[in-house]
Amino acid sequence: MRIDLHAHTTCSDGTRTPSELIDDARAAGLDAVAITDHDTTVGWEEAGAAAMERGIALVPGVEISCERGGRSVHLLGYLLDPSDGPLTAELAKARESRATRLERMVALLAADGIPLTYAAVLAQVPPGATPGRPHIADALVAAEVVASRDEAFARWLHDQSPYYVHHYAPDPLLAVELVRAAGGVPVLAHPFAATRGAVQLSGEAIGQLADAGLAGLEADHPDHDASARARARALAARLGLFVTGSSDYHGSGKTTRLGDNLTDPLVLAALEGAGSGSPVIRRSGH
Ligand code: AMP
Ligand code: FE
Ligand code: FE
Ligand code: ZN
């Protein structure tokens, strides 16, 4: 069984639609894939229908952008109830803040003579999707101001850019509580990634999340070297958490390929046992 538990689509910052993600999962020889767009569950329905058609198991999920001490922490939530009131309200609040923030970034860029409008950026965001800096990059590519997302980030959109504007994101402790209350299973994404200004929570802080219901750590991830993977495994063993592996696939938005890291089938079974908000979507008999 080949299981990849972290992938993005055009519903956030991936470049493949939910159906195309399932096509890619099939091409990568996966038996199961999770859809984990940032701060939205809007892609679940399309991905679920495609997964049923193609005989792939779909693990419905979300990657919640969180913040602690001014820095970014990502929490994966699997098998949660997508209609849960408090969780839905929190995700909507985050998306709203992201939209306002993009509008402000566009105003700053335009004031400096970079030819861009907020309408052009919104044209890059599918309905219900989570707006992000990659959509500004896509608008700049569409207008032929830059050649690629990477160029847009390197010149104007990176974290230290004068055009960078902050957006609201919940503390990871609140996110763990909300995912659990929605019947979901919270897993800390790439906890020891050293890239892109991601914060590394201390073992003590991760212990507090575990006390609040954190169920797992994503140990095998493209942004983890061998020592980060070993650290995640050791901490998971100490805290009684399970470990997952995944590619964090973004289509052509990042270089990782689907299936680059995999999750043990026993872990998927444990995850299914722990989640009660939504089922894994699979054909009966599989
Ligand atoms: P946001 O959530 O709007 O702050 O945007 C962050 C997203 O931008 C990340 O999830 C990546 O997908 C993408 N990103 C961040 N840095 C870069 C970069 N240097 N090149 C391309 N994409 C990037
Ligand atoms: Fe992303
Ligand atoms: Fe992430
Ligand atoms: Zn991700």
Side-chain angles (χ1 to χ4, degrees):
M1 283 260 279
R2 286 168 55 78
I3 302 162
D4 186 332
L5 288 185
H6 187 161
H8 297 267
T9 73
T10 48
C11 296
S12 61
D13 58 353
T15 60
R16 304 284 280 163
T17 65
S19 314
E20 289 167 345
L21 168 64
I22 302 302
D23 291 341
D24 294 352
R26 190 130 198 222
L30 295 181
D31 302 287
V33 67
I35 181 171
T36 56
D37 277 304
H38 296 284
D39 307 320
T40 184
T41 59
V42 76
W44 289 13
E45 202 177 316
E46 182 187 325
M52 288 289 274
E53 212 169 281
R54 309 216 203 347
I56 303 265
L58 180 79
V59 182
V62 65
E63 184 175 26
I64 304 178
S65 314
C66 305
E67 189 186 304
R68 166 114 12 128
R71 306 194 71 187
S72 164
V73 175
H74 288 172
L75 185 82
L76 294 159
Y78 298 108
L79 306 176
L80 47 86
D81 173 1
S83 67
D84 177 79
L87 178 67
T88 309
E90 187 65 21
L91 296 180
K93 179 176 169 183
R95 289 195 306 272
E96 277 291 318
S97 166
R98 282 170 158 282
T100 314
R101 167 260 199 155
L102 283 199
E103 192 169 12
R104 289 180 54 205
M105 286 185 70
V106 169
L108 292 172
L109 287 158
D112 263 2
I114 297 153
L116 188 67
T117 63
Y118 186 50
V121 173
L122 286 185
Q124 300 294 329
V125 188
T130 299
R133 281 177 282 165
H135 297 113
I136 298 184
D138 290 347
L140 290 166
V141 172
E144 297 182 12
V145 177
V146 295
S148 66
R149 274 190 182 183
D150 278 347
E151 186 186 344
F153 270 88
R155 291 176 72 175
W156 300 311
L157 302 179
H158 57 87
D159 292 359
Q160 274 72 47
S161 163
Y163 305 110
Y164 182 85
V165 175
H166 185 259
H167 65 83
Y168 167 77
D171 186 85
L173 186 60
L174 173 62
V176 165
E177 289 167 351
L178 286 169
V179 168
R180 274 290 180 191
V185 189
V187 172
L188 193 59
H190 42 75
F192 300 123
T195 50
R196 288 194 190 145
V199 70
Q200 297 186 5
L201 293 177
S202 65
E204 192 189 345
I206 294 173
Q208 281 163 1
L209 297 183
D211 291 342
L214 184 71
L217 298 181
E218 191 178 52
D220 293 320
H221 182 279
D223 293 346
H224 279 180
D225 61 15
S227 98
R229 290 170 192 230
R231 257 176 93 192
R233 283 207 157 71
L235 184 61
R238 184 149 70 74
L239 296 174
L241 305 174
F242 58 72
V243 296
T244 64
S246 47
S247 64
D248 204 352
Y249 183 61
H250 282 68
S252 61
K254 272 188 192 172
T255 54
T256 74
R257 291 158 314 165
L258 213 46
D260 271 358
N261 293 289
L262 298 171
T263 295
D264 191 308
L266 291 174
V267 169
L268 178 56
L271 201 135
E272 285 194 72
S276 59
S278 290
V280 172
I281 298 162
R282 55 162 71 87
R283 278 188 200 156
S284 54
H286 278 247

